[in-house]
Amino acid sequence: TAPLAKERSYSRAHFSFNAGDGRCPTCGGSGFEHIEMQFLSDVYLRCEDCQGARYRPAILQVQIERAERSLNVADCLALTVAEALALFAPDRAVQLALQPLLDVGLGYITLGQSATTLSGGEAQRVKLALELSKRDTGRTLYVLDEPTTGLHFADIELLLSVLKQLREAGNTIIVIEHNLDVIKMADYIVDVGPEGGHRGGTIVGFGTPEQVAKVKGSWTGKFLKNELK
């Protein structure tokens, strides 16, 4: 706890931008002002009072020292997950909370990033990271819809290692996916096609990756065959 926070009797609530007296009263802790446009897309402008920092000036005066750096709460929220893990390495609680996010390939998102700015794949991986931080029962069914969307190849490998970890613990994972790196690692595939839209909707093939690769008329099988080589 920062000495200045103790001196001013600040509680944890003062450092929340969702509620409490510490957030900027002008923007309500969002860091921007929402302007509704009648016939155009809504406009979001940086808050003039806090300049996007989300907090009252008195709260931003509270700082902590880490690795020869002085950080206030806004500075901490601007850190990426990877940066925060390195900076707060001695803090066990921070490690337990953030390591799962890094494990699913989300080391690049910032701690204060709004959930509305996440893609569908990123939002699913945030939920997956939350599950990883819990005690695993080995009896959970996970359903993921295109979780690799927007992921770099290296991050896809990280995601696959997490999915393997969940599977080996006894859980069941259903993934809707077009990425061949994910498809070829599946225990069982149900290939729906043969085309998209009104030309699809039919089960073209099913079975292990090796079995689907032999199905004639399956686009998935055709490309999967080359991947398995």
Side-chain angles (χ1 to χ4, degrees), residues 146 148 176-183:
E146 304 278 3
T148 62
I176 303 167
E177 187 58 81
H178 289 84
N179 187 290
L180 288 172
D181 288 324
V182 177
I183 294 173

Side-chain angles (χ1 to χ4, degrees), residues 5 12 113 135 143 145 163 166 192 212 222 226:
R12 292 182 179 180
Q113 187 164 336
R135 180 176 295 177
V143 181
D145 185 5
L163 295 181
L166 290 171
V192 180
V212 172
K222 178 181 177 180
N226 293 328

Side-chain angles (χ1 to χ4, degrees), residues 17-18 27-34 44 52 54-55 74 76-81 101 106 108-124 126:
F17 57 76
N18 292 316
C27 63
S30 66
F32 56 82
E33 293 185 68
H34 178 200
Y44 295 87
R54 299 180 172 184
Y55 294 91
C76 290
L77 292 176
L79 295 171
T80 66
V81 169
L101 289 169
L106 291 176
Y108 59 88
I109 66 173
T110 60
L111 300 186
Q113 187 164 336
S114 172
T116 58
T117 65
L118 298 175
S119 69
E122 288 171 334
Q124 288 186 84
V126 168

Side-chain angles (χ1 to χ4, degrees), residues 8-224:
R8 295 180 178 178
S9 300
Y10 287 158
S11 65
R12 292 182 179 180
H14 285 89
F15 297 92
S16 170
F17 57 76
N18 292 316
D21 297 329
R23 63 181 180 173
C24 172
T26 303
C27 63
S30 66
F32 56 82
E33 293 185 68
H34 178 200
I35 301 176
E36 292 186 7
M37 307 293 286
Q38 190 170 2
F39 300 108
L40 300 172
S41 299
D42 291 353
V43 175
Y44 295 87
L45 300 177
R46 178 179 291 185
C47 176
E48 292 185 1
D49 285 349
C50 69
Q51 293 299 309
R54 299 180 172 184
Y55 294 91
R56 296 176 183 269
I59 298 299
L60 296 177
Q61 291 172 359
V62 177
Q63 298 189 338
I64 58 174
E65 301 295 328
R66 284 293 186 279
E68 300 181 355
R69 292 177 60 184
S70 295
L71 303 168
N72 59 32
V73 63
D75 296 328
C76 290
L77 292 176
L79 295 171
T80 66
V81 169
E83 290 171 339
L85 274 167
L87 202 59
F88 294 91
D91 194 318
R92 175 71 173 164
V94 173
Q95 295 291 317
L96 290 174
L98 298 184
Q99 186 62 48
L101 289 169
L102 191 68
D103 291 341
V104 297
L106 291 176
Y108 59 88
I109 66 173
T110 60
L111 300 186
Q113 187 164 336
S114 172
T116 58
T117 65
L118 298 175
S119 69
E122 288 171 334
Q124 288 186 84
R125 279 178 274 133
V126 168
K127 292 179 181 179
L128 190 57
L130 178 60
E131 290 297 319
L132 288 174
S133 66
K134 299 177 182 178
R135 180 176 295 177
D136 193 2
T137 63
R139 296 183 297 175
T140 303
L141 171 64
Y142 297 95
V143 181
L144 305 176
D145 185 5
E146 304 278 3
T148 62
T149 301
L151 273 186
H152 185 273
F153 294 119
D155 291 326
I156 291 176
E157 290 184 8
L158 287 175
L159 177 62
L160 284 172
S161 67
V162 170
L163 295 181
K164 289 178 186 176
Q165 177 184 334
L166 290 171
R167 180 190 63 186
E168 290 169 1
N171 300 292
T172 300
I173 308 166
I174 299 174
V175 185
I176 303 167
E177 187 58 81
H178 289 84
N179 187 290
L180 288 172
D181 288 324
V182 177
I183 294 173
K184 70 182 181 182
M185 298 299 295
D187 296 312
Y188 196 88
I189 298 171
V190 177
D191 183 25
V192 180
E195 304 289 344
H198 68 279
R199 296 182 179 178
T202 302
I203 296 179
V204 179
F206 52 86
T208 65
E210 291 76 14
Q211 290 172 326
V212 172
K214 297 177 182 179
V215 176
K216 294 181 180 180
S218 168
W219 287 107
T220 300
K222 178 181 177 180
F223 290 100
L224 192 57

